[in-house]
Amino acid sequence: MEESPQSIQLSRRRFLVLGVGATSLLAAAYASVRQVGCYPEPVSTYEHLTPKEAAVFALLGDYFIPPGGDDLPGSAGDEATLRRLDVVLGGTPLWKRRLLRALPLVFEHGSGLDRFGARSMTNLPPERLEEYLAQWERSRAVVRLQLWAAVKVTYGLTYFERPDVMEAMDMTSHCGGLELWP
């Protein structure tokens, strides 16, 4: 028995209803998931980063650029990088800031964590954390690739633009000495 073409097609109305429903579900999830978990207070205070965001960004940063690697100073999860991330977050327009704030939550509460025996990335043992993040890195799913690229760009803006890192890479600022960071 053949299905009629009309039953297979997704009408604009159905697409709109599904889109509004998905957006509402994500908004509700963001409102509740961002509160989940107990995180230590960061070493220093930030104007915009919450303790949870600081903990997750520090863990991700140490995965991307670990401490003591490649003769570069610090790591992408160290205090100096987190401070720069706080400045970026503060300079992001309010309507886009929510997206940047949601980025670490995707990794912290990702759907694949149950297989690893934890409910959040920060609670994973080091070997499982490595495996979990490697799965993100190797993924072929477009959404995962976009999220992975977004978090890498975040560290590109915050770690690789640090004066001490640029000096270690024997690079000079392309802004002609314009100081963009406090």
Side-chain angles (χ1 to χ4, degrees):
M1 183 169 134
E2 274 186 51
E3 290 185 352
S4 68
Q6 190 174 24
S7 66
I8 296 173
Q9 293 178 351
L10 186 63
S11 70
R12 287 183 186 162
R13 181 176 291 163
R14 285 183 188 164
F15 182 76
L16 181 62
V17 168
L18 289 173
V20 168
T23 302
S24 300
L25 182 63
L26 286 173
Y30 172 71
S32 60
V33 169
R34 68 187 170 94
Q35 305 297 335
V36 174
C38 185
Y39 299 87
E41 285 297 319
V43 176
S44 68
T45 58
Y46 301 104
E47 192 173 334
H48 303 283
L49 283 174
T50 65
K52 180 176 187 171
E53 292 164 346
V56 175
F57 275 123
L59 201 60
L60 287 169
D62 285 343
Y63 176 80
F64 286 118
I65 300 144
D70 298 328
D71 297 325
L72 294 174
S75 74
D78 67 8
E79 178 61 30
T81 304
L82 291 177
R83 186 151 309 286
R84 293 170 72 85
L85 182 58
D86 190 53
V87 171
V88 168
L89 190 61
T92 303
L94 291 176
W95 55 277
K96 285 197 173 189
R97 191 177 299 175
R98 187 172 295 151
L99 294 174
L100 186 55
R101 291 193 104 106
L103 187 58
L105 298 179
V106 172
F107 295 95
E108 176 68 351
H109 301 291
S111 61
L113 282 170
D114 286 338
R115 288 181 304 201
F116 293 100
R119 295 274 181 213
S120 64
M121 181 184 71
T122 54
N123 290 326
L124 289 172
E127 63 280 352
R128 293 207 175 228
L129 174 66
E130 191 82 22
E131 184 181 345
Y132 172 69
L133 291 175
Q135 283 185 353
W136 275 91
E137 195 169 14
R138 291 188 309 261
S139 177
R140 294 277 188 222
V142 174
V143 172
R144 281 183 161 232
L145 289 172
Q146 289 172 335
L147 292 167
W148 191 253
V151 79
K152 285 175 72 173
V153 166
T154 302
Y155 289 105
L157 290 170
T158 55
Y159 179 76
F160 288 110
E161 292 290 325
R162 286 174 34 180
D164 58 337
V165 173
M166 291 183 78
E167 184 179 315
M169 293 187 303
D170 199 28
M171 296 181 70
T172 58
S173 174
H174 298 289
C175 296
L178 178 65
E179 185 60 40
L180 300 175
W181 303 97

